[in-house]
């Protein structure tokens, strides 16, 4: 996910790291991070790995995908309550299992034919859950894209939690690359939280579709920036899920999350 001067909110009335402006806001977006490509497992810097293991909780409850275990920030973690400026790394968007990603992951697990023997790009991968769901469902090639190197480490840890060999991770703004790689499927969840980013994503996804006939699936719980964007005219709702109560509480009472097929 994109690095920002303010954290996208978990929308709780908590103190600590998540009491900041958020995904449901219209905050401007800072430029994405520097380029890095890592192969399988190469993100596990021992010091950062130890920090993540100490300051996250392994959980599979409270989401749409109890089959997937993830390291997340929860109310039982110290930094849930600490001042945000005490967190020593970039803002941990990867440490929340956002509702759009939950819907995408649930859909892929329930419909493995969507990804089986296909190449899949998980754009704005965050905790890596949707890429993990694609791997569990038989995808032949996966790239997780998130500009935060710490997210790359978290994704690797989450792969290992689910007995999966870590897949490649790209930590660069893929929208800025000079070439457009071919993917059978692009998945992205919770990325339409900022108007400028939404416009850039819309154009990039159109390029993917028209250049390579790439299928695009978008997960979103109905944020205003997504509902009000012109991309709505090119979407077909595939499925809508009722969110578990813990996810509702963590997202300002949002009750559902949907998967959309992009058809420009």
């Amino acid at each position: 996910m994109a690095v920002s001067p303010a954290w996208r909110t978990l929308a709780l009335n908590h103190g600590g790291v998540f009491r900041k402006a958020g995904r449901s806001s219209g905050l401007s977006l800072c430029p994405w991070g520097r380029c890095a490509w890592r192969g399988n497992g190469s993100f596990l810097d021992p010091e950062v790995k130890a920090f993540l293991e100490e300051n996250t909780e392994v959980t599979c409850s409270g989401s749409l995908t109890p089959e997937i275990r993830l390291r997340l920030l929860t109310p039982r973690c110290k930094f849930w309550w600490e001042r945000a400026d005490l967190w020593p790394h970039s803002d941990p968007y990867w440490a929340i299992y956002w509702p759009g990603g939950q819907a995408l992951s649930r859909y892929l697990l329930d419909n493995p034919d969507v990804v089986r023997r296909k190449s899949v790009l998980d754009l704005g991968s965050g905790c890596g859950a949707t890429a993990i769901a694609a791997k569990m469902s038989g995808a032949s090639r996966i790239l997780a894209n998130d500009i935060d190197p710490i997210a790359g480490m978290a994704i690797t840890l989450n792969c290992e939690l689910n007995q999966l060999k870590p897949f490649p991770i790209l930590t660069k703004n893929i929208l800025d690359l000079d070439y457009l790689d071919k993917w059978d499927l692009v998945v992205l969840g919770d990325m339409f939280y900022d108007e400028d980013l939404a416009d850039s994503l819309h154009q990039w996804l159109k390029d993917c579709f028209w250049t390579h006939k790439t299928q695009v699936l978008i997960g979103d719980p109905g944020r205003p920036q997504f509902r009000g964007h012109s991309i709505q005219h090119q979407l077909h709702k595939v499925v809508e899920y009722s969110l578990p109560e813990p996810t509702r509480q963590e997202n300002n009472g949002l009750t559902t999350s949907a998967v959309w097929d992009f058809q420009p």
Side-chain angles (χ1 to χ4, degrees):
M1 298 292 181
V3 175
S4 156
W7 298 29
R8 280 168 279 173
T9 190
L10 186 57
L12 288 173
N13 293 321
H14 287 304
V17 295
F18 291 111
R19 195 172 179 178
K20 288 210 173 185
R23 284 188 185 226
S24 57
S25 75
L27 290 172
S28 61
L29 196 69
C30 286
W32 284 20
R34 59 186 179 275
C35 174
W37 174 281
R38 297 291 186 272
N40 301 345
S42 62
F43 270 101
L44 291 181
D45 174 86
E47 184 175 337
V48 178
K49 178 177 182 286
F51 178 86
L52 296 183
E53 290 176 338
E54 180 181 354
N55 290 288
T56 56
E57 180 183 17
V58 176
T59 180
C60 60
S61 63
S63 77
L64 289 170
T65 58
E67 306 96 315
I68 299 177
R69 304 176 73 214
L70 299 169
R71 284 198 167 275
L72 303 174
L73 275 172
T74 74
R76 287 177 288 278
C77 299
K78 177 180 71 172
F79 279 99
W80 184 274
W81 305 102
E82 290 279 9
R83 297 198 326 269
D85 59 352
L86 296 180
W87 179 264
H89 302 291
S90 54
D91 300 341
Y93 309 131
W94 54 266
I96 299 299
Y97 193 8
W98 303 99
Q102 290 190 33
L104 279 171
S105 302
R106 181 72 269 156
Y107 179 69
L108 297 186
L109 291 171
D110 290 345
N111 300 274
D113 287 346
V114 174
V115 295
R116 186 177 290 127
R117 294 186 293 277
K118 294 182 180 179
S119 59
V120 179
L121 169 65
D122 183 13
L123 180 62
S125 190
C127 66
T130 303
I132 287 169
K135 186 70 172 179
M136 288 179 168
S137 297
S140 61
R141 181 167 70 101
I142 295 172
L143 177 64
N145 172 227
D146 196 298
I147 55 82
D148 185 357
I150 304 298
M153 296 184 198
I155 291 169
T156 300
L157 289 173
N158 287 335
C159 285
E160 295 176 352
L161 280 176
N162 292 280
Q163 290 77 55
L164 297 176
K165 182 180 179 180
F167 31 74
I169 300 161
L170 174 68
T171 55
K172 182 180 182 178
N173 184 354
I174 203 168
L175 307 186
D176 288 342
L177 295 181
D178 293 332
Y179 61 91
L180 193 62
D181 205 356
K182 185 181 188 303
W183 300 95
D184 296 319
L185 174 66
V186 173
V187 292
L188 61 157
D190 307 284
M191 291 291 285
F192 285 80
Y193 57 88
D194 172 88
E195 184 177 353
D196 290 339
L197 177 59
D199 290 343
S200 297
L201 283 169
H202 189 193
Q203 184 58 55
W204 190 86
L205 294 173
K206 285 192 291 185
D207 291 344
C208 284
F209 182 89
W210 291 117
T211 303
H212 298 302
K213 301 303 180 186
T214 300
Q215 182 182 10
V216 177
L217 294 176
I218 300 171
D220 195 272
R223 293 186 181 85
Q225 296 90 336
F226 182 65
R227 295 198 315 265
H229 195 272
S230 60
I231 198 172
Q232 287 291 321
H233 302 297
Q234 299 170 322
L235 297 176
H236 166 72
K237 185 186 288 187
V238 178
V239 65
E240 187 168 17
Y241 298 100
S242 178
L243 292 169
E245 186 58 31
T247 301
R248 296 185 184 198
Q249 293 176 3
E250 293 167 359
N251 288 274
N252 265 347
L254 292 170
T255 59
T256 64
S257 189
V259 175
W260 302 83
D261 188 20
F262 179 55
Q263 300 175 349

